[in-house]
PDB file of all heavy atoms in Angstrom:
ATOM      1  N   VAL X   4      -0.546 -14.544 -17.766  1.00  0.00           N
ATOM      2  CA  VAL X   4      -1.901 -14.232 -17.330  1.00  0.00           C
ATOM      3  C   VAL X   4      -2.443 -13.052 -18.136  1.00  0.00           C
ATOM      4  O   VAL X   4      -1.788 -12.006 -18.220  1.00  0.00           O
ATOM      5  CB  VAL X   4      -1.921 -13.896 -15.824  1.00  0.00           C
ATOM      6  CG1 VAL X   4      -3.312 -13.460 -15.386  1.00  0.00           C
ATOM      7  CG2 VAL X   4      -1.461 -15.082 -14.998  1.00  0.00           C
ATOM      8  N   ALA X  22     -12.420  -0.145 -12.701  1.00  0.00           N
ATOM      9  CA  ALA X  22     -11.549  -1.271 -12.364  1.00  0.00           C
ATOM     10  C   ALA X  22     -12.271  -2.243 -11.429  1.00  0.00           C
ATOM     11  O   ALA X  22     -12.273  -3.464 -11.657  1.00  0.00           O
ATOM     12  CB  ALA X  22     -10.259  -0.771 -11.718  1.00  0.00           C
ATOM     13  N   ALA X  28     -17.423  -7.948 -12.385  1.00  0.00           N
ATOM     14  CA  ALA X  28     -18.140  -8.507 -13.529  1.00  0.00           C
ATOM     15  C   ALA X  28     -17.497  -9.800 -14.010  1.00  0.00           C
ATOM     16  O   ALA X  28     -18.189 -10.790 -14.291  1.00  0.00           O
ATOM     17  CB  ALA X  28     -18.186  -7.480 -14.660  1.00  0.00           C
ATOM     18  N   ASN X  61      -0.509  -4.126  -4.247  1.00  0.00           N
ATOM     19  CA  ASN X  61       0.024  -2.898  -4.826  1.00  0.00           C
ATOM     20  C   ASN X  61       1.231  -3.177  -5.705  1.00  0.00           C
ATOM     21  O   ASN X  61       2.017  -4.088  -5.428  1.00  0.00           O
ATOM     22  CB  ASN X  61       0.415  -1.928  -3.715  1.00  0.00           C
ATOM     23  CG  ASN X  61      -0.764  -1.463  -2.902  1.00  0.00           C
ATOM     24  OD1 ASN X  61      -1.340  -2.224  -2.123  1.00  0.00           O
ATOM     25  ND2 ASN X  61      -1.146  -0.212  -3.068  1.00  0.00           N
ATOM     26  N   GLY X 102      10.334  11.864 -13.473  1.00  0.00           N
ATOM     27  CA  GLY X 102       9.920  11.403 -14.789  1.00  0.00           C
ATOM     28  C   GLY X 102       8.747  10.445 -14.695  1.00  0.00           C
ATOM     29  O   GLY X 102       7.762  10.709 -14.005  1.00  0.00           O
ATOM     30  N   LEU X 168     -14.722   9.701 -31.849  1.00  0.00           N
ATOM     31  CA  LEU X 168     -13.640   8.736 -31.612  1.00  0.00           C
ATOM     32  C   LEU X 168     -13.398   7.804 -32.795  1.00  0.00           C
ATOM     33  O   LEU X 168     -12.385   7.104 -32.825  1.00  0.00           O
ATOM     34  CB  LEU X 168     -13.944   7.925 -30.351  1.00  0.00           C
ATOM     35  CG  LEU X 168     -13.706   8.690 -29.039  1.00  0.00           C
ATOM     36  CD1 LEU X 168     -14.321   7.953 -27.859  1.00  0.00           C
ATOM     37  CD2 LEU X 168     -12.218   8.912 -28.800  1.00  0.00           C
ATOM     38  N   SER X 189     -16.311   9.628   0.655  1.00  0.00           N
ATOM     39  CA  SER X 189     -14.918   9.988   0.893  1.00  0.00           C
ATOM     40  C   SER X 189     -14.829  10.860   2.131  1.00  0.00           C
ATOM     41  O   SER X 189     -15.820  11.411   2.610  1.00  0.00           O
ATOM     42  CB  SER X 189     -14.340  10.747  -0.304  1.00  0.00           C
ATOM     43  OG  SER X 189     -14.342   9.956  -1.468  1.00  0.00           O
ATOM     44  N   SER X 287      21.150 -20.584   3.757  1.00  0.00           N
ATOM     45  CA  SER X 287      20.294 -21.763   3.691  1.00  0.00           C
ATOM     46  C   SER X 287      20.315 -22.522   5.007  1.00  0.00           C
ATOM     47  O   SER X 287      19.299 -22.992   5.495  1.00  0.00           O
ATOM     48  CB  SER X 287      20.740 -22.674   2.541  1.00  0.00           C
ATOM     49  OG  SER X 287      22.079 -23.097   2.736  1.00  0.00           O
ATOM     50  N   ASN X 288      21.502 -22.642   5.638  1.00  0.00           N
ATOM     51  CA  ASN X 288      21.576 -23.305   6.939  1.00  0.00           C
ATOM     52  C   ASN X 288      20.820 -22.503   7.989  1.00  0.00           C
ATOM     53  O   ASN X 288      20.129 -23.052   8.844  1.00  0.00           O
ATOM     54  CB  ASN X 288      23.035 -23.460   7.378  1.00  0.00           C
ATOM     55  CG  ASN X 288      23.754 -24.508   6.546  1.00  0.00           C
ATOM     56  OD1 ASN X 288      23.101 -25.396   5.987  1.00  0.00           O
ATOM     57  ND2 ASN X 288      25.067 -24.401   6.468  1.00  0.00           N
ATOM     58  N   ASP X 335     -10.817  -6.120  21.042  1.00  0.00           N
ATOM     59  CA  ASP X 335     -10.054  -7.057  21.866  1.00  0.00           C
ATOM     60  C   ASP X 335      -9.404  -6.312  23.034  1.00  0.00           C
ATOM     61  O   ASP X 335      -8.705  -5.317  22.841  1.00  0.00           O
ATOM     62  CB  ASP X 335      -8.979  -7.743  21.032  1.00  0.00           C
ATOM     63  CG  ASP X 335      -9.572  -8.596  19.919  1.00  0.00           C
ATOM     64  OD1 ASP X 335     -10.643  -9.194  20.147  1.00  0.00           O
ATOM     65  OD2 ASP X 335      -8.991  -8.646  18.822  1.00  0.00           O
ATOM     66  N   VAL X 346       2.905  -5.405  15.468  1.00  0.00           N
ATOM     67  CA  VAL X 346       2.928  -4.531  14.295  1.00  0.00           C
ATOM     68  C   VAL X 346       1.613  -3.765  14.251  1.00  0.00           C
ATOM     69  O   VAL X 346       0.538  -4.366  14.239  1.00  0.00           O
ATOM     70  CB  VAL X 346       3.108  -5.337  12.992  1.00  0.00           C
ATOM     71  CG1 VAL X 346       3.031  -4.404  11.776  1.00  0.00           C
ATOM     72  CG2 VAL X 346       4.441  -6.081  12.997  1.00  0.00           C
ATOM     73  N   VAL X 347       1.711  -2.442  14.258  1.00  0.00           N
ATOM     74  CA  VAL X 347       0.524  -1.583  14.181  1.00  0.00           C
ATOM     75  C   VAL X 347       0.707  -0.679  12.967  1.00  0.00           C
ATOM     76  O   VAL X 347       1.500   0.258  12.992  1.00  0.00           O
ATOM     77  CB  VAL X 347       0.327  -0.742  15.456  1.00  0.00           C
ATOM     78  CG1 VAL X 347      -1.035  -0.045  15.419  1.00  0.00           C
ATOM     79  CG2 VAL X 347       0.459  -1.588  16.700  1.00  0.00           C
ATOM     80  N   ASN X 367      -3.080  -0.700  28.100  1.00  0.00           N
ATOM     81  CA  ASN X 367      -2.115  -1.099  29.128  1.00  0.00           C
ATOM     82  C   ASN X 367      -1.284  -2.293  28.681  1.00  0.00           C
ATOM     83  O   ASN X 367      -0.086  -2.373  28.972  1.00  0.00           O
ATOM     84  CB  ASN X 367      -2.849  -1.438  30.429  1.00  0.00           C
ATOM     85  CG  ASN X 367      -3.466  -0.217  31.084  1.00  0.00           C
ATOM     86  OD1 ASN X 367      -3.050   0.915  30.828  1.00  0.00           O
ATOM     87  ND2 ASN X 367      -4.478  -0.429  31.918  1.00  0.00           N
ATOM     88  N   ALA X 371       2.725  -2.360  28.304  1.00  0.00           N
ATOM     89  CA  ALA X 371       3.537  -3.342  29.024  1.00  0.00           C
ATOM     90  C   ALA X 371       4.424  -4.131  28.072  1.00  0.00           C
ATOM     91  O   ALA X 371       5.589  -4.423  28.384  1.00  0.00           O
ATOM     92  CB  ALA X 371       2.625  -4.287  29.804  1.00  0.00           C
ATOM     93  N   LEU X 402       5.069   6.389  23.848  1.00  0.00           N
ATOM     94  CA  LEU X 402       5.909   7.511  23.433  1.00  0.00           C
ATOM     95  C   LEU X 402       5.511   8.763  24.207  1.00  0.00           C
ATOM     96  O   LEU X 402       4.313   9.026  24.402  1.00  0.00           O
ATOM     97  CB  LEU X 402       5.745   7.773  21.933  1.00  0.00           C
ATOM     98  CG  LEU X 402       5.991   6.593  20.996  1.00  0.00           C
ATOM     99  CD1 LEU X 402       5.641   6.983  19.563  1.00  0.00           C
ATOM    100  CD2 LEU X 402       7.443   6.120  21.088  1.00  0.00           C
TER     101      LEU X 402
END
Side-chain angles (χ1 to χ4, degrees):
V4 175
N61 295 71
L168 284 167
S189 298
S287 60
N288 289 336
D335 297 325
V346 176
V347 189
N367 291 338
L402 305 174

